[in-house]
Amino acid sequence: MNNMNEYYWIPLLIISAICLFGVMFLCIGIGLLFREKKKRSACTQPVIATVVDVQHQAVGASVYAGSGETNMTSWFPVYEYTVNGTSRRKQAFMGTAKPEVSIGQKVELYVNPDRPDEFYCPTEKTASVRKVFTGVGIACISVAVIIGIILCVI
């Protein structure tokens, strides 16, 4: 019995790590939700934008990536739109795994009338990313709680 209590901190450490991981993911998901709501409430002026470029950027790989590392590429559309007679060119906040728009395509954006450089695109998949972060966070916290309950019963 004494030997079991000596090593009780190991599962407790594992549970804490899983729970911390879950809390971090949940906080990111909630942060994305608030950012999205704030942007939607501020960006109310509809404009028609033209996709003038689709830039691809390596994501998650360092400059010093080894030959065995996988480089992931995200595609970011660059929109050109006019607000109050001034033409603006801005890159999308959220990239995608493959190009989902083509150069020359017309897209409806919503622009902040007070800050025309701020916009959101209703077709961006920010909700999907937010749901993934929130789901992973809830799943990790749930697993940590279940493991904690099982260890208390044993």
Side-chain angles (χ1 to χ4, degrees), residues 54-133:
V54 181
Q55 297 183 353
H56 60 283
Q57 299 173 359
V59 177
S62 68
V63 178
Y64 306 105
S67 60
E69 288 188 34
T70 303
N71 290 331
M72 294 185 63
T73 300
S74 283
W75 301 86
F76 294 87
V78 177
Y79 303 111
E80 186 171 80
Y81 56 94
T82 303
V83 177
N84 301 328
T86 305
S87 182
R88 300 181 187 284
R89 189 179 279 220
K90 298 295 288 182
Q91 180 176 300
F93 172 73
M94 188 71 59
T96 56
K98 60 183 179 181
E100 294 185 355
V101 292
S102 56
I103 295 175
Q105 183 177 339
K106 302 288 186 193
V107 178
E108 185 176 39
L109 302 179
Y110 289 87
V111 178
N112 183 342
D114 300 325
R115 294 176 44 206
D117 285 336
E118 182 181 358
F119 71 91
Y120 86 89
C121 180
T123 59
E124 280 186 359
K125 295 183 170 49
T126 55
S128 301
V129 173
R130 175 180 42 83
K131 288 176 185 176
V132 168
F133 274 100

Side-chain angles (χ1 to χ4, degrees), residues 2 4 6 9 13 41 45 50 75 78 104 106 110 113 118 132 140 145 152:
N2 189 22
M4 187 174 158
E6 256 180 59
W9 63 271
L13 184 64
S41 66
Q45 182 179 349
T50 304
W75 301 86
V78 177
K106 302 288 186 193
Y110 289 87
E118 182 181 358
V132 168
C140 287
V145 168
C152 286

